[in-house]
Amino acid sequence: MHRQQRRANTGLLLLFAQIYQFGLNNIPPVTLATLGLNVYLFLNPVKHLHYVCISVHEGYHRGDWQRLLLSPFHHADDWHLYFNMVSLLWKGTKLEQRLGSVLFALIIAVFSQLIGVVYVLLELILAETMDDPSYRMQCAVGFSGVLFALKVLNNHYYPGGSTSLFGLQVSNKYACWAELAAIHMLSPGTSFIGHLSGILVGLLYTHGPLGTILRTAVSFFTNPLSYPFSLFWLG
């Protein structure tokens, strides 16, 4: 997630170059559709960033929960879009091939909304515990919270190995935490709480009940006859 501003061009051109190099035929359908949605909304935003970013003030206090739907898919500028979509290209392709398109689509849909809820909750807790109203006003947009969650899933499904971070080899098991700290130090304009929310939602999937819930939902809707008839009873 990122805070506001807007421009265009170079990052978008580089993104198209990356997609061309990767090959459209090599991008699974849900990853491609998600990427396309982000690019489309960057070129044709539903509203100005000020009216789509999510915060405690706008979401919780004013009840504008439509921002949960819009904020993950809008970006502050073309470079914000570029880095997020290149990351999606690689993470999404690996995970969609591993999990299947139906489950991956559900993961994208649920993560994009749940991360916003966790973000608002954490900012509200910080505002209350630190008695600092500025946490209520911090407004975030962008897909990077979802990408941090997908990184947790990638490390879960493809364990082992390490990542080079500024010349230091960091075990992939801890890479998302190291990246969280590094990004926050190097780019203060990014949303630390937004990225943290993504990691927490990812862990809720890999080590909590969310993964079981989503996999069960996919199994039910793709093969409902395999479930006992008693599941359909209402009482």
Side-chain angles (χ1 to χ4, degrees):
M1 293 187 179
H2 215 279
R3 302 206 185 106
Q4 333 212 89
Q5 265 178 350
R6 207 174 179 326
R7 275 186 15 240
N9 277 337
T10 309
L12 196 59
L13 292 174
L14 286 174
L15 174 60
F16 289 146
Q18 285 277 354
I19 293 170
Y20 177 78
Q21 185 178 20
F22 194 89
L24 276 176
N25 293 336
N26 297 321
I27 307 174
V30 175
T31 300
L32 183 60
T34 305
L35 199 155
L37 176 63
N38 277 276
V39 171
Y40 176 81
L41 289 176
F42 175 74
L43 296 172
N44 303 278
V46 174
K47 300 176 182 178
H48 187 275
L49 288 180
H50 180 73
Y51 299 104
V52 298
C53 63
I54 185 67
S55 68
V56 173
H57 177 71
E58 298 295 343
Y60 179 73
H61 292 302
R62 299 188 63 185
D64 188 2
W65 294 112
Q66 183 188 49
R67 291 170 182 257
L68 282 178
L69 179 65
L70 298 176
S71 60
F73 302 103
H74 286 75
H75 288 81
D77 55 41
D78 56 319
W79 289 109
H80 188 201
L81 177 74
Y82 168 75
F83 288 115
N84 278 355
M85 293 304 99
V86 169
S87 180
L88 171 64
L89 189 61
W90 294 97
K91 291 182 177 72
T93 296
K94 285 182 68 177
L95 280 173
E96 187 171 350
Q97 289 172 344
R98 174 68 182 261
L99 302 176
S101 294
V102 176
L103 177 55
F104 187 67
L106 186 58
I107 285 171
I108 292 293
V110 171
F111 279 19
S112 62
Q113 304 308 293
L114 186 56
I115 288 167
V117 173
V118 173
Y119 171 78
V120 170
L121 180 61
L122 291 179
E123 292 279 16
L124 182 59
I125 291 171
L126 285 170
E128 292 292 332
T129 56
M130 301 183 71
D131 195 24
D132 184 350
S134 68
Y135 287 107
R136 300 177 186 272
M137 308 303 296
Q138 291 181 5
C139 212
V141 293
F143 204 70
S144 52
V146 178
L147 294 171
F148 266 85
L150 295 184
K151 186 171 186 64
V152 174
L153 268 63
N154 254 312
N155 293 339
H156 174 75
Y157 287 109
Y158 300 96
S162 61
T163 299
S164 177
L165 196 63
F166 307 115
L168 297 175
Q169 291 299 315
V170 179
S171 169
N172 282 337
K173 186 176 182 180
Y174 306 107
C176 57
W177 297 104
E179 288 182 23
L180 174 67
I183 289 173
H184 183 61
M185 288 188 293
L186 293 174
S187 184
T190 57
S191 173
F192 178 85
I193 301 301
H195 295 161
L196 175 61
S197 299
I199 292 175
L200 295 178
V201 169
L203 291 173
L204 189 60
Y205 180 94
T206 58
H207 293 86
L210 185 57
T212 301
I213 292 169
L214 296 189
R215 288 190 296 271
T216 301
V218 168
S219 297
F220 176 76
F221 285 109
T222 55
N223 192 17
L225 295 180
S226 67
Y227 282 75
F229 184 74
S230 60
L231 283 179
F232 295 94
W233 294 359
L234 297 179

